[in-house]
Amino acid sequence: MKVCVAVACCAMKPKNTSVRTFTEGLCTTFHKANQQLHHKHSSLEAEILHLRQQIAISSMSSQETIHTQDESRAGDAVLFPTPPLSGRDKQEGAVVEGSDLDSLHRNTQFLQSVINIQQVTRQASQTGLLGDGEKNNSTSETKLKSLTSLNQATVVKSLQTILKCVQDQTFTVSIKSLQHCIQCVVQLMDQLPALMSNIPIVSIIKDILRCLVKDIIQEDASHSQPNTRQQSTNLVLGFSKPPVTRITQEVLVEEIQKFSQHLQDVCQNANPLQGIVV
């Protein structure tokens, strides 16, 4: 196959262009086209997810709004509390692709809405509503259970966006937006225990925590913002609440063991000390 490709490149190249230059140009063009297709696929995937979220929320929000108006304790609950991105938020973060930023806010908005609907449903159940109210409450619980796959997809997409921001070692999205999203993810995982057994979700959380811990303990912060270490610490604390506490503890213990092993190598083999906090 490689020989066939090489022969084809030799036959197709312009007369005044070397095979190497022509081949490198083909690779560059293919790489750019592949990136564009990947970006388009990600955008369409995020849009489909958002449309599913809108359909799910609109099918439940009307009756939950009635419950909210009827009960004083639920009266303060807002189904869509996530504010639009303000000018201050834009200043707090560096330039980021609009699709990533929009995706994070949309997903955070949906997660917060599901959390609020669950709270309203629970409050309605506690008040002992009868008749139609009891029927509506049962219907809401059934619909919430049917959102399992959508909740999982939204949590995974949100965590992937957070991981991307953390891996860049610069918080391209407002730290407040990241904290709000983490808060919603952790709170929803607390309300829906099934999410804790979802392997992709747990795996991404561990990857995020490993990146954050690395930012906290690394010595060379020349490629990071001045307050990156404090921001990383705040995000780790966001993952320290139940039920994600156990996952955070596992990652921290893992990193402590790695650093302890490194210290042992330094003492025994005179290796240079790395990753010390300054």
Side-chain angles (χ1 to χ4, degrees):
M1 178 62 71
K2 293 182 179 180
V3 174
C4 293
V5 172
V7 172
C9 290
C10 292
M12 294 174 59
K13 77 175 186 67
K15 294 182 179 180
N16 298 329
T17 304
S18 65
V19 175
R20 181 184 181 88
T21 302
F22 180 68
T23 304
E24 289 177 347
L26 289 177
C27 292
T28 301
T29 302
F30 174 78
H31 182 66
K32 289 182 178 179
N34 191 44
Q35 282 185 327
Q36 292 176 352
L37 287 174
H38 178 71
H39 178 70
K40 185 176 181 179
H41 176 268
S42 299
S43 299
L44 292 175
E45 190 178 52
E47 188 63 27
I48 291 173
L49 180 62
H50 179 53
L51 290 174
R52 291 177 61 196
Q53 293 169 354
Q54 286 182 317
I55 293 172
I57 291 299
S58 61
S59 67
M60 298 191 316
S61 60
S62 58
Q63 71 177 42
E64 295 306 329
T65 303
I66 296 175
H67 289 168
T68 303
Q69 294 173 349
D70 291 340
E71 299 182 25
S72 58
R73 288 186 302 170
D76 294 331
V78 181
L79 295 179
F80 299 95
T82 305
L85 185 64
S86 63
R88 182 177 180 180
D89 285 338
K90 292 179 180 178
Q91 294 175 359
E92 289 178 355
V95 177
V96 66
E97 292 184 7
S99 59
D100 290 336
L101 187 58
D102 292 341
S103 176
L104 184 71
H105 279 270
R106 288 176 175 182
N107 292 332
T108 302
Q109 185 181 61
F110 173 75
L111 295 176
Q112 185 67 71
S113 299
V114 172
I115 291 170
N116 288 341
I117 290 175
Q118 287 183 323
Q119 291 175 345
V120 171
T121 302
R122 188 181 300 110
Q123 290 168 353
S125 178
Q126 291 175 350
T127 58
L129 291 178
L130 300 177
D132 293 338
E134 185 177 354
K135 181 179 179 181
N136 290 337
N137 185 47
S138 177
T139 303
S140 297
E141 292 179 351
T142 302
K143 288 183 178 180
L144 285 170
K145 291 180 180 179
S146 68
L147 292 178
T148 301
S149 62
L150 183 56
N151 289 331
Q152 291 178 351
T154 303
V155 170
V156 168
K157 186 63 178 178
S158 301
L159 291 174
Q160 287 175 340
T161 304
I162 294 174
L163 178 60
K164 181 179 180 180
C165 295
V166 173
Q167 286 177 331
D168 290 342
Q169 295 186 350
T170 54
F171 293 104
T172 53
V173 177
S174 165
I175 186 67
K176 291 183 179 179
S177 298
L178 294 177
Q179 288 176 321
H180 186 195
C181 186
I182 292 174
Q183 179 184 1
C184 290
V185 168
V186 172
Q187 189 173 354
L188 188 62
M189 293 179 71
D190 186 36
Q191 294 184 1
L192 303 176
L195 294 177
M196 281 297 299
S197 59
N198 185 280
I199 296 177
I201 291 177
V202 174
S203 178
I204 299 175
I205 291 178
K206 288 185 176 181
D207 289 340
I208 294 173
L209 288 170
R210 291 188 185 103
C211 290
L212 292 174
V213 172
K214 181 180 178 181
D215 287 339
I216 294 173
I217 66 175
Q218 69 179 358
E219 181 178 5
D220 183 10
S222 58
H223 299 293
S224 303
Q225 297 177 1
N227 58 343
T228 295
R229 181 175 295 162
Q230 183 59 49
Q231 292 175 337
S232 298
T233 302
N234 293 337
L235 294 181
V236 170
L237 291 176
F239 283 112
S240 65
K241 299 178 181 179
V244 193
T245 308
R246 178 182 57 80
I247 300 176
T248 304
Q249 290 174 341
E250 289 179 1
V251 173
L252 292 177
V253 170
E254 175 186 307
E255 295 301 320
I256 291 174
Q257 289 176 340
K258 288 182 180 179
F259 191 68
S260 299
Q261 182 62 47
H262 172 64
L263 291 178
Q264 184 177 356
D265 293 339
V266 170
C267 296
Q268 294 180 351
N269 304 321
N271 292 332
L273 184 63
Q274 300 176 356
I276 188 170
V277 179
V278 294

